[in-house]
Amino acid sequence: MRLIMLGAPGTGKGTQGKLLSARYGIPNISTGDILRSAVAQRSELGIQAQSYMDRGELVPDNLMIRLIKERLQQADCEGGFILDGFPRTIEQAAALDAELQQQAKAIDWVLDLELETEKIVARLTNRRVCSQCGQDYNLLTNPPPADHRCAKCGGTVIQRSDDAPDTVRNRLKVYEEKTKPLKNYFQQQAKLLVVDAEGTVEQIQAKLRAIIEENR
Ligand code: AMP
């Protein structure tokens, strides 16, 4: 099964993608996580990507397309995968289609998580994340331990610098301009499944699984 998690930042793509990954035994590929680890390691990619990420802008398509092509050629993607945060532009979507076509494969479904802007802003500004394992927390709904140590791995829980209010606003603007048109793109391919992302993590996960099972 090959899935794309679509939706604005803060709609829960990462959280839900990781849970689906565990359920179906296929990798969850988060381009944001890959970039953040490249930045932390100060690799060539990280150095190129950092200034875009800090401003809430998209990293250029050519870099992202190269990154995802390399990742999809790895052996663990043979049985399927979940893409979280890619594609984010029409150009990326077209490159992904072309790459998969070459491998005689295709995306099965695009799960589009929908949430009101006000709720997105509240989720993002209250989001905290483990700097070591990427575990997500939320100050309102799922607070991290009082000592800011991750309950899963003991790493330090931080606020992502791009979750600051000004950067969040820019990321949402960039989403509207560059990523939202993908809904139409995938609707034309009859692959778009729209999911209301309001509710608890467990409720949304149950909804996603039901939709996947219905369409398998
Ligand atoms: P995310 O964790 O998915 O919210 O991604 C964090 C940041 O990484 C984004 O705001 C972008 O700067 C960058 N990024 C992640 N995925 C992509 C992509 N497919 N295209 C361009 N930039 C990306």
Side-chain angles (χ1 to χ4, degrees), residues 43-82:
S43 71
E44 188 59 37
L45 170 69
I47 291 164
Q48 285 176 301
Q50 184 163 23
S51 66
Y52 296 99
M53 296 173 76
D54 285 346
R55 285 179 281 129
E57 296 289 336
L58 294 184
V59 174
D61 283 337
N62 60 341
L63 281 182
M64 296 311 300
I65 290 168
R66 198 179 342 135
L67 181 156
I68 209 76
K69 276 189 185 174
E70 282 174 14
R71 182 65 187 86
L72 293 184
Q73 280 164 11
Q74 289 174 19
D76 64 337
C77 293
E78 263 162 38
F81 52 78
I82 300 166

Side-chain angles (χ1 to χ4, degrees), residues 17-216:
K18 281 170 191 142
L19 291 169
L20 290 176
S21 157
R23 167 69 181 79
Y24 294 106
I26 48 179
N28 181 68
I29 300 172
S30 157
T31 43
D33 283 351
I34 295 173
L35 291 172
R36 276 184 289 279
S37 105
V39 168
Q41 288 165 11
R42 308 201 144 275
S43 71
E44 188 59 37
L45 170 69
I47 291 164
Q48 285 176 301
Q50 184 163 23
S51 66
Y52 296 99
M53 296 173 76
D54 285 346
R55 285 179 281 129
E57 296 289 336
L58 294 184
V59 174
D61 283 337
N62 60 341
L63 281 182
M64 296 311 300
I65 290 168
R66 198 179 342 135
L67 181 156
I68 209 76
K69 276 189 185 174
E70 282 174 14
R71 182 65 187 86
L72 293 184
Q73 280 164 11
Q74 289 174 19
D76 64 337
C77 293
E78 263 162 38
F81 52 78
I82 300 166
L83 291 180
D84 157 20
F86 189 98
R88 262 176 152 105
T89 64
I90 297 280
E91 194 173 342
Q92 292 180 14
L96 174 66
D97 279 344
E99 171 67 15
L100 290 175
Q101 212 167 9
Q102 271 196 355
Q103 301 180 19
K105 290 176 182 165
I107 293 296
D108 297 304
W109 300 112
V110 178
L111 300 167
D112 172 32
L113 299 179
E114 290 284 330
L115 192 65
E116 284 169 34
T117 306
E118 245 172 70
K119 292 185 176 145
I120 288 178
V121 173
R123 276 198 196 172
L124 287 175
T125 49
N126 285 298
R127 174 160 73 179
R128 297 295 181 269
V129 56
C130 172
S131 57
Q132 203 160 290
C133 74
Q135 172 69 34
D136 270 311
Y137 294 93
N138 182 293
L139 294 183
L140 304 177
T141 56
N142 175 28
D147 62 357
H148 304 291
R149 295 272 150 213
C150 176
K152 233 169 118 185
C153 78
T156 312
V157 176
I158 56 159
Q159 179 174 36
R160 269 170 57 171
S161 58
D162 62 348
D163 281 344
D166 279 354
T167 318
V168 161
R169 268 190 289 280
N170 196 39
R171 287 165 67 203
L172 291 175
K173 189 167 147 261
V174 168
Y175 168 78
E176 290 287 326
E177 283 169 13
K178 308 251 173 79
T179 309
K180 213 172 174 182
L182 288 178
K183 289 210 255 182
N184 211 7
Y185 179 94
F186 288 118
Q187 201 157 31
Q188 281 170 5
Q189 297 185 355
K191 291 181 178 172
L192 193 76
L193 301 172
V194 179
V195 183
D196 178 0
E198 168 78 68
T200 64
V201 168
E202 293 75 20
Q203 284 166 341
I204 300 160
Q205 180 65 195
K207 255 195 251 179
L208 289 171
R209 286 185 190 184
I211 289 176
I212 290 169
E213 296 305 329
E214 254 172 52
N215 288 285
R216 263 182 130 181

